[in-house]
Amino acid sequence: MQTFNGRLALITGGSSGIGLALAHRLLAEGARVALLARDGQKLDQARARLLASFPQGEVSLWRADVANAPQVTTVLQTLLEQLGAPDLLVNSAGVARPGRFEDLPLDVFDQMIAVNYLGTVYVTKALVPAMLERGSGHIVNISSVAGFLNIYGYTAYGASKFAVRGFSDALRMELKPRGIGVSLVFPPDTDTPQLAYENQFKPEVTRALAGSAGVLSPDAVAQEILRGIRRGAYVILPGFETKVIYLLSRLLGAGVNPILDAMVRNALQKTRANQNLHRS
């Protein structure tokens, strides 16, 4: 897909963050944009922001909870009837709730799988038949750096993003011979409302491990995604640090574990030292 002009792009989680940044860039290139999210007020606000920049842009709003399969099926059937099959589907809806395994309630694990993984499956399932019938299209699934190298504090979130990776690996093989491309994105920490929410719950060790890594802007991630689609890339790695971490994890395999263990030990020591300092 070398041009987005006149193409229809459906973006889940499109009312904020990476999804909204992608909508902005796609409108700038002449695409027609459909945003899907569960919060109607945020959808309205997103549309207003987009049309303030692109008054002639075409932005349609679709309200659904991606974790609700019947709702997704019904809403997207209406979209297909009114707009036709999207040329580009971006599964960007996602939630993150870190915490040590023993502290996380089971419903957090349910939520991570329901939104991050099954939400991606439900939306894709509803649209792929129409894309196959047309014989073209491109699907972008948003995973995370934690989807290829999980760390302390992300037993729930990282596992759901690994599931997105596994789903995408098989989906790519099935759809590529039939004219539909698939891309898998591994963004690092990105300056979004979701990150602000997530930071409230990060264990100190997780915070220390992530402390040296940079935070990307949603627009920088969106730019990398569109560049990757144009290249026909399967794996898209926004940011230099993400590319380095991915390469090292691939080269070292399980050999990366001693490095991570040393980082955890160091983070635990610093955490204990800070706790002792506050007590004294």
Side-chain angles (χ1 to χ4, degrees):
M1 189 178 292
Q2 294 301 309
T3 179
F4 300 102
N5 187 39
R7 304 293 184 102
L8 174 62
L10 170 63
I11 306 170
T12 74
S15 60
S16 65
I18 294 171
L20 183 58
L22 273 168
H24 193 278
R25 281 192 167 268
L26 286 164
L27 282 172
E29 298 198 25
R32 298 176 295 135
V33 171
L35 304 180
L36 185 147
R38 64 179 180 173
D39 189 318
Q41 183 177 0
K42 288 182 179 178
L43 280 170
D44 290 336
Q45 292 170 350
R47 186 175 189 271
R49 288 177 59 183
L50 293 169
L51 293 182
S53 298
F54 306 100
Q56 305 304 315
E58 183 178 327
V59 182
S60 63
L61 305 180
W62 303 87
R63 187 175 178 183
D65 180 354
V66 297
N68 185 322
Q71 190 178 99
V72 165
T73 302
T74 299
V75 169
L76 292 183
Q77 183 58 43
T78 303
L79 180 146
L80 290 170
E81 292 169 359
Q82 294 184 9
L83 302 179
D87 300 287
L88 175 64
L89 164 62
V90 181
N91 285 303
S92 182
V95 290
R97 173 65 161 84
R100 292 187 304 175
F101 175 68
E102 68 268 29
D103 298 328
L104 288 174
L106 285 176
D107 61 3
V108 169
F109 289 84
D110 294 337
Q111 182 193 30
M112 298 299 102
I113 290 295
V115 177
N116 298 340
Y117 171 58
L118 290 177
T120 297
V121 173
Y122 295 155
V123 173
T124 305
K125 184 72 170 176
L127 296 175
V128 158
M131 297 172 82
L132 285 172
E133 184 177 352
R134 186 185 56 206
S136 66
H138 199 100
I139 299 167
V140 177
N141 294 331
I142 309 291
S143 180
S144 164
V145 168
F148 68 82
L149 185 66
N150 208 4
I151 63 168
Y152 189 111
Y154 285 117
T155 51
Y157 173 72
S160 70
K161 290 300 189 176
F162 261 88
V164 171
R165 176 187 181 179
F167 169 66
S168 302
D169 284 350
L171 189 70
R172 184 200 68 82
M173 295 179 69
E174 292 186 20
L175 297 185
K176 183 176 180 178
R178 304 167 77 182
I180 299 175
V182 175
S183 293
L184 176 61
V185 187
F186 294 115
D189 278 350
T190 305
D191 187 14
T192 65
Q194 175 56 54
L195 181 63
Y197 169 82
E198 175 186 345
N199 282 339
Q200 303 175 72
F201 303 100
K202 281 182 179 175
E204 286 303 315
V205 173
T206 309
R207 203 180 301 277
L209 290 174
S212 60
V215 176
L216 292 186
S217 70
D219 184 65
V221 175
Q223 183 179 23
E224 289 266 17
I225 291 172
L226 296 187
R227 185 181 298 132
I229 295 170
R230 285 197 172 92
R231 295 198 319 267
Y234 173 56
V235 173
I236 299 175
L237 302 162
F240 176 75
E241 288 183 354
T242 306
K243 294 176 177 63
V244 172
I245 294 169
Y246 183 79
L247 179 62
L248 288 175
S249 68
R250 298 275 289 185
L251 289 173
L252 296 176
V256 76
N257 289 335
I259 299 172
L260 295 175
D261 291 343
M263 293 173 68
V264 169
R265 284 196 301 271
N266 185 53
L268 284 169
Q269 289 171 359
K270 288 183 178 179
T271 299
R272 292 181 188 122
N274 288 335
Q275 290 172 345
N276 291 334
L277 183 64
H278 288 309
R279 291 193 190 101
S280 61

